[in-house]
């Protein structure tokens, strides 16, 4: 295996750090960026170091955080501001190499194997990145340095708050293997108990297992975890301007109130389906598989999907399939808290499709109509043209998910593409 030097740079407490930078009066206080509890989006999105020290955790409900930290200061998210910092952050990384692979808004891998003649070894580059981010952006970043992407990312997680952590071929067994198995990146919460029941408590235990045993226990992913634990990951860092293959397009929302009637569900499904369909057309894609995700007020969730007879980018077709799935699998014994719609198994929208001779309804008219609607909304605004159903309850339909559509791509270790849906609650 060729010698590689991989860095993983991760901005510390990104959202909260940026908010504190722009609001100096918050300095020294426990601060968290959170959704709006009045709209039932009341979760902690990010917290600063002071809040973390008091036990506040990302993803927990606001009431849980306030129980731990009554003096917690909450600020609403400002995603345009965070996106601006993300662009500046990536600009710094790109000054060292063009092999920069973002992994979310606040972290990225770099392959600096070919840059060390100019900038020094991996640790020197990591320290220089930390200095520049601190001086130029006013926030801090932790950097992991290793010979593969898995250990580089683990390094940035092990040393937080403006630190460099080197995990080398010489020290990874003493640094990584004693860690709890749950700290292995991409090892999910459902997988961990399966390992612990079999006495696999540390990453070293995981590495010591045979790949055949883990494959029998966890399927193909078990063998991948074994490979990662033994430092055998060889996945490349993509060039920054390489666009990964898009695997799915989705939208979901937490509703302002529980949905208790079919008409309310239908309204939300159409809002989400129109957003997904619009983005599919924007990327000139069509999909064959439609999936829905439903979560009730008790936070129990199920996902169902179906395959269409032909690929589509039409909101009406997507919504109809989604509604069929919900009607077939939801028993209405409790209200629906959140809904999601996803289209996958994508192909180019320019591929010719055989017209169905015996189908009197030709989709070409619907395609022309929806593209006309795209043009009208782009020119006169999102709400210039709407379906009549959306006017029946503007409290439910009055949100624009178009700019929040999730594009799920073939990312690092595509088998663990967790279809992380970007909820309207800004998860």
């Amino acid at each position: 295996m060729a010698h590689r030097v991989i860095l993983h740079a991760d901005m510390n407490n990104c959202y909260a750090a940026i908010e504190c930078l722009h609001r100096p009066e918050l300095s020294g206080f426990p601060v968290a960026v959170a959704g709006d509890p009045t709209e039932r989006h009341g979760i902690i999105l990010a917290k600063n170091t002071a809040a973390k020290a008091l036990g506040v955790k990302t993803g927990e409900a606001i009431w849980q955080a306030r129980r731990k930290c009554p003096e917690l200061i909450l600020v609403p998210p400002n995603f345009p501001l965070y996106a601006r910092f993300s662009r500046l952050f990536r600009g710094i990384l790109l000054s060292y190499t063009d092999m920069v692979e973002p992994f979310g808004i606040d972290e990225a891998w770099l392959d600096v194997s070919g840059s060390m003649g100019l900038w020094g070894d991996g640790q020197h580059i990591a320290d220089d990145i930390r200095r520049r981010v601190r001086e130029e952006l006013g926030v801090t970043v932790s950097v992991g340095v290793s010979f593969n992407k898995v250990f580089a990312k683990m390094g940035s997680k092990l040393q937080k708050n403006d630190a460099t952590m080197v995990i080398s071929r010489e020290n990874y067994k003493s640094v990584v293997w004693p860690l709890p198995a749950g700290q292995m990146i991409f090892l999910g919460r459902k997988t961990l108990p399966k390992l612990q029941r079999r006495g696999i408590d540390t990453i070293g235990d995981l590495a010591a297992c045979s790949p055949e045993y883990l494959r029998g226990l966890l399927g193909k992913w078990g063998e991948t975890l074994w490979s990662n634990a033994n430092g055998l990951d060889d996945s490349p860092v993509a060039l920054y301007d390489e666009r990964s293959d898009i695997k799915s397009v989705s939208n979901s929302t937490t509703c302002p109130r529980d949905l208790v009637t079919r008409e309310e569900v239908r309204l939300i499904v159409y809002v989400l389906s129109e957003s997904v369909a619009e983005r599919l057309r924007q990327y000139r894609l069509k999909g064959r598989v439609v999936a829905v995700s439903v979560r009730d007020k008790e936070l129990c969730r199920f996902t169902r999907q179906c395959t269409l007879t032909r690929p589509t980018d039409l909101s009406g077709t997507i919504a109809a399939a989604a509604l069929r799935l919900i009607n077939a699998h939801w028993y209405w014994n409790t209200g629906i808290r959140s809904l999601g719609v996803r289209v996958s198994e994508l192909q180019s929208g320019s591929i010719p499709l055989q017209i169905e001779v015996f189908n009197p309804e030709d989709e070409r008219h619907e395609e022309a109509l929806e593209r006309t609607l795209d043009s009208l909304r782009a020119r006169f605004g999102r709400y210039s043209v709407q379906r009549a159903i959306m006017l029946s309850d503007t409290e439910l339909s009055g949100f624009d998910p178009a700019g929040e559509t999730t594009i799920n791509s073939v990312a690092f270790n595509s088998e663990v593409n967790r279809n992380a849906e970007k909820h309207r609650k800004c998860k």
Side-chain angles (χ1 to χ4, degrees):
M1 184 184 298
H3 178 69
R4 298 191 302 162
V5 178
I6 309 297
L7 275 56
H8 183 268
D10 187 357
M11 296 174 69
N12 303 137
N13 310 315
C14 177
Y15 296 173
I18 294 171
E19 292 292 346
C20 291
L21 179 67
H22 280 72
R23 303 185 187 191
E25 68 275 13
L26 299 179
S27 178
F29 294 97
V31 177
V33 179
D36 185 353
T38 64
E39 295 187 10
R40 310 205 309 171
H41 305 155
I43 65 168
I44 302 298
L45 305 177
K47 74 282 183 190
N48 67 355
T49 303
K52 182 178 181 180
L54 294 171
V56 177
K57 296 181 179 180
T58 300
E60 68 181 351
I62 289 176
W63 66 266
Q64 293 173 309
R66 284 204 182 280
R67 179 177 291 179
K68 301 173 184 175
C69 180
E71 65 274 25
L72 183 67
I73 299 173
L74 300 178
V75 296
N78 184 347
F79 288 106
L81 177 63
Y82 309 151
R84 175 175 172 268
F85 268 76
S86 180
R87 290 192 295 271
L88 294 171
F89 171 57
R90 292 174 186 176
I92 291 175
L93 303 183
L94 286 165
S95 66
Y96 296 91
T97 176
D98 59 350
M99 298 182 72
V100 175
E101 182 180 340
F103 192 71
I105 195 171
D106 59 348
E107 55 183 299
W109 283 283
L110 303 80
D111 187 333
V112 297
S113 307
S115 305
M116 293 189 292
L118 292 173
W119 305 106
D121 62 18
Q123 182 168 357
H124 185 273
I125 294 174
D127 291 340
D128 202 45
I129 288 172
R130 291 194 298 108
R131 176 190 62 79
R132 288 187 58 189
V133 170
R134 185 173 59 249
E135 294 177 357
E136 298 176 25
L137 303 187
V139 295
T140 61
V141 61
S142 292
V143 185
V145 183
S146 192
F147 54 94
N148 63 46
K149 292 169 72 174
V150 168
F151 286 168
K153 183 170 173 63
M154 293 188 69
S156 70
K157 300 298 183 185
L158 289 174
Q159 292 289 344
K160 278 295 188 182
N161 297 327
D162 198 13
T164 297
M165 178 69 183
V166 178
I167 300 178
S168 66
R169 294 185 185 277
E170 292 72 34
N171 73 0
Y172 78 88
K173 293 181 181 179
S174 61
V175 173
V176 175
W177 282 8
L179 297 174
Q183 290 194 33
M184 187 73 206
I185 64 172
F186 306 127
L187 195 158
R189 289 178 296 177
K190 292 184 178 180
T191 301
L192 183 59
K194 296 179 181 179
L195 297 176
Q196 292 174 331
R197 285 195 295 267
R198 291 160 176 82
I200 304 172
D201 298 314
T202 68
I203 296 177
D205 294 337
L206 185 66
C209 291
S210 72
E212 293 78 17
Y213 175 75
L214 291 174
R215 187 182 184 99
L217 178 63
L218 304 173
K220 184 178 179 181
W221 183 234
E223 193 171 344
T224 301
L225 287 174
W226 175 86
S227 176
N228 290 346
N230 280 284
L232 301 178
D233 165 55
D234 61 355
S235 55
V237 176
L239 288 170
Y240 183 72
D241 58 356
E242 283 185 352
R243 179 178 160 192
S244 298
D245 294 330
I246 296 174
K247 299 296 289 182
S248 67
V249 178
S250 65
N251 253 125
S252 61
T253 184
T254 299
C255 308
R257 66 173 188 267
D258 289 343
L259 308 179
V260 296
T261 69
R262 294 182 187 276
E263 196 66 13
E264 290 175 338
V265 170
R266 184 167 173 260
L267 188 156
I268 295 295
V269 166
Y270 268 108
V271 174
L272 298 174
S273 298
E274 286 205 346
S275 172
V276 171
E278 180 180 343
R279 192 55 61 91
L280 284 169
R281 293 190 294 272
Q282 179 182 341
Y283 282 86
R284 296 182 176 85
L285 295 170
K286 293 183 178 182
R288 292 184 62 93
V289 175
V290 175
V292 294
S293 174
V294 180
R295 188 173 61 170
D296 65 20
K297 64 181 181 181
E298 304 299 329
L299 304 186
C300 296
R301 176 178 171 179
F302 79 83
T303 301
R304 296 291 185 273
Q305 68 180 38
C306 65
T307 301
L308 305 177
T309 56
R310 54 193 293 166
T312 188
D313 59 3
L314 300 178
S315 60
T317 304
I318 295 168
L323 289 169
R324 285 196 299 271
L325 288 167
I326 294 172
N327 290 333
H329 299 283
W330 185 253
Y331 297 105
W332 299 98
N333 54 350
T334 185
I336 293 177
R337 179 180 176 88
S338 66
L339 274 175
V341 175
R342 183 177 74 248
V343 175
S344 60
E345 201 169 306
L346 306 179
Q347 66 176 53
S348 172
S350 62
I351 296 177
L353 295 177
Q354 176 66 48
I355 296 176
E356 298 181 19
V357 177
F358 299 105
N359 185 356
E361 297 295 329
D362 194 335
E363 287 188 352
R364 289 178 297 177
H365 298 296
E366 293 183 43
E367 291 175 350
L369 174 60
E370 296 216 9
R371 282 171 172 73
T372 300
L373 294 177
D374 291 344
S375 300
L376 290 172
R377 289 167 177 162
R379 183 174 181 183
F380 299 108
R382 166 65 41 192
Y383 301 106
S384 59
V385 184
Q386 299 183 71
R387 292 177 182 268
I389 188 177
M390 296 178 186
L391 301 177
S392 64
D393 192 333
T394 55
E395 180 189 11
L396 287 179
S397 65
F399 68 99
D400 175 17
E404 301 168 4
T405 301
T406 301
I407 305 296
N408 297 317
S409 60
V410 179
F412 165 56
N413 277 334
S414 59
E415 293 129 336
V416 292
N417 183 355
R418 294 161 291 175
N419 296 322
E421 298 169 348
K422 187 182 296 178
H423 295 282
R424 183 182 171 224
K425 68 182 181 182
C426 308
K427 183 175 179 181

